[in-house]
Amino acid sequence: MDPIVLAAGTALVSAMAVDSWQQVRTATTALWHRLHPEQADEIAAELETLHASVLNSREQQDHDTEEALTGVWRLRFQQLLLGEPSAVGELRRLLEEHLAPALPPDEQRGVHSIVMKAEARDHAHVYMAGRDQHIGGS
């Protein structure tokens, strides 16, 4: 699954519990309206239903439901990109301009995507980290 899809699904569900939820909902629905206008009303209605589910799951400290909803939205975004591969830039823009900024700072760190590629040959070693990396020993 594309790292942008993973990050966007996580950020969207997390943003369902913030005060600026309506702006996030509007931006997400607008993405569908541009790419699949025939589905935009259905997406808007689904987002409202899921908003209530996320608020309830957080109140009940039901992390499993929130994880399941995150999975649902990751699949939704993945299906969107499968139908419109060129829309990855629009999804990235939604994530960077609307979803991630709506989250509290501690949750923002968990939704940014990092793509790393490395290739080692012969006896080479590759060390990669998305944040801090500490290597000990000799």
Side-chain angles (χ1 to χ4, degrees):
M1 195 170 276
D2 191 302
I4 297 299
V5 167
L6 297 173
T10 301
L12 177 63
V13 173
S14 294
M16 289 180 181
V18 300
D19 292 337
S20 59
W21 162 243
Q22 289 304 319
Q23 291 89 356
V24 169
R25 178 186 167 274
T26 299
T28 304
T29 303
L31 175 66
W32 253 268
H33 197 272
R34 283 190 303 280
L35 299 174
H36 295 286
E38 73 284 357
Q39 297 175 3
D41 290 339
E42 176 187 334
I43 292 297
E46 185 176 338
L47 286 170
E48 278 306 310
T49 301
L50 293 178
H51 169 66
S53 296
V54 168
L55 292 178
N56 185 52
S57 69
R58 287 205 173 180
E59 184 178 299
Q60 302 296 321
Q61 296 182 349
D62 178 4
H63 303 291
D64 293 338
T65 296
E66 196 165 336
E67 284 183 38
L69 293 172
T70 299
V72 166
W73 275 94
R74 286 175 174 172
L75 286 173
R76 276 270 199 202
F77 285 132
Q78 183 70 26
Q79 290 169 343
L80 183 69
L81 292 185
L82 288 174
E84 298 283 338
S86 62
V88 70
E90 289 191 61
L91 183 58
R92 182 184 316 272
R93 203 166 20 265
L94 175 69
L95 174 64
E96 292 173 354
E97 295 177 8
H98 299 282
L99 303 180
L103 300 175
D106 61 320
E107 289 187 45
Q108 286 181 11
R109 287 188 293 271
V111 299
H112 292 288
S113 65
I114 298 172
V115 178
M116 296 187 289
K117 296 180 182 180
E119 189 173 314
R121 297 197 191 280
D122 301 321
H123 299 287
H125 297 276
V126 175
Y127 301 94
M128 299 172 69
R131 275 206 23 129
D132 300 340
Q133 183 176 63
H134 305 280
I135 301 172
S138 54

